[in-house]
Amino acid sequence: MGLGYIGLPTAAISASIGHKVLGVDINPKVAETINKGEIHIIEPGLGNLVKQVVENGSLRASTLPEISDVYLIVVPTPFKGNYEPDISFVESATNAVLPLLKAGDLYIIESTSPVGTTNKMAELIFGKRPELEGNISIAYCPERVLPGNVLHELIHNDRVIGGIDAQSTQKAQEFYSTFVEGKLHPTNARTAEMCKLTENSSRDVQIAFANELSLICDKANINVWELIDLANKHPRVNILQPGSGVGGHCIAVDPYFITAEFPRESQIIGKAREINNYKSFWCAEKIRTSMLEFELKHGRKPLVALMGLAFKPNIDDLRESPAKYIAQKVMQSAQDGFMVVEPNIEEHSIFRLTKYDEAFEKADIVAFLVAHNEFKNLTYNTNKVILDFAGIFKK
Ligand code: SAJ
């Protein structure tokens, strides 16, 4: 249920090892595309795999579920306006399969979910189908794949599997062992749910530490990149890299699933979110201040290059991107004088894109928002104002 960034690769891999898979998506265009052997998302190797499993008949897509033995819920869990998690997609996918469930079936949630969701769905199922209580297996098993390396990581990463009871955990382990080569770690549903939130919150907190250091170092006139390199020479210190903020659909979202439910207890987790969001705002302010300083000094408006729009280096994914937020924010303050660069995409509906080397050459102010590899080929130029938020030149 759900043929997105995780659902489709999972469907394709399990089809490729011999399961007969029906991929279900509420969007008819998605089902239509997949049934043609094509894909609607970008992920290396996925297009070929889907083509192969659709052609040999092991994967088929539809907008409606059919009677099956195993049901995987892999739908989005966004948050509402006030950072409260929204599990309505999980609920509606569960309601859609509810009439189809039979004794002996396995129902698994993979969607990132607030603690307690799996048990809540079990209550929903048993409330409407009391005869299934004790006769079906229900488990939570989060994915932890990195966009861009999904096919490899889906097979090779270890996974945590938590059932609502021991038998559910075991049945889910048996299912995943058909295509996962990493270790499968058994636990209960609540711990597995919290484990997914913990992994991404941990990364968010660590990035916030690096971002906080970058703010301190800016004031203290210390090169933060050199500082972190040196501190990391300590055998038990491993500081991550500061940047223009934290983006994507996971790390910038999942911590709110903890803070919404445990606001008093999750002090560091909440503060990390604030710091990482503030870092993007701070970068935008730095660019605006540099533009004003330039104008005062030179008596004309500067030409500004905004380098990178993606949410992290060397990808073409602009979802929840701090770089895109910064570009939009600074461009609100002045009508023209900007060149926007994103070497990983051909064109954009809002931004007119300029080639990275041309923008660097022409600009008076260059703001590096993402550490794309291409930018590392550029040579530092002391005649320009360089705002290196991404650590392109470091030294
Ligand atoms: N970032 C930094 N500094 C760093 C590392 C990352 O500023 O040192 C920024 C990136 O630029 C980006 C954001 O953090 O804006 C997130 O990037 P990421 O590469 O850390 O993570 P994602 O969002 O692509 O994928 C994460 C992964 N989780 C962890 O590493 C704990 C992945 O394994 C999860 O499967 C994925 O979230 C998910 O779907 O939950």
Side-chain angles (χ1 to χ4, degrees), residues 143-145 196 200 203 240-241 247 250-251 311-312:
E143 55 70 31
R144 24 165 76 149
V145 293
K196 171 69 189 179
N200 281 348
R203 195 151 167 87
L240 293 181
Q241 299 294 295
C250 310
I251 295 188
F311 89 82
K312 67 177 184 176

Side-chain angles (χ1 to χ4, degrees), residues 2-9 24-25 27 29-35 37-43 46-47 50 61:
L3 293 173
Y5 280 82
I6 305 300
L8 182 56
V24 181
D25 201 288
N27 184 343
K29 274 201 180 137
V30 168
E32 213 177 283
T33 307
I34 290 161
N35 283 330
E38 293 164 13
I39 59 172
H40 61 295
I41 53 176
I42 307 159
E43 181 58 41
L46 185 62
V50 168

Side-chain angles (χ1 to χ4, degrees), residues 350-365:
I350 301 172
F351 302 107
R352 201 163 53 84
L353 300 177
T354 305
K355 287 207 161 56
Y356 77 94
D357 40 0
E358 181 190 335
F360 186 74
E361 171 86 30
K362 288 185 181 162
D364 303 303
I365 299 176

Side-chain angles (χ1 to χ4, degrees), residues 152-215:
H152 176 86
E153 293 203 2
L154 261 182
I155 294 171
H156 293 98
N157 285 359
D158 283 14
R159 290 185 82 136
V160 171
I161 302 179
I164 57 162
D165 50 37
Q167 184 216 304
S168 295
T169 309
Q170 198 199 323
K171 281 237 20 192
Q173 267 185 290
E174 280 164 22
F175 169 69
Y176 281 103
S177 68
T178 61
F179 65 92
V180 174
E181 290 175 24
K183 282 199 185 115
L184 302 171
H185 303 274
T187 180
N188 57 50
R190 287 176 72 80
T191 309
E193 288 159 347
M194 187 62 185
C195 189
K196 171 69 189 179
L197 304 179
T198 300
E199 291 163 10
N200 281 348
S201 300
S202 154
R203 195 151 167 87
D204 198 42
V205 168
Q206 291 177 58
I207 298 168
F209 182 69
N211 277 332
E212 184 163 295
L213 284 177
S214 74
L215 302 181

Side-chain angles (χ1 to χ4, degrees), residues 73 89-99 107 109 121 124-125:
I73 311 294
F89 294 116
V90 174
E91 265 164 359
S92 58
T94 305
N95 276 319
V97 302
L98 233 163
Y107 160 101
I109 303 177
M121 291 306 110
L124 176 77
I125 293 169

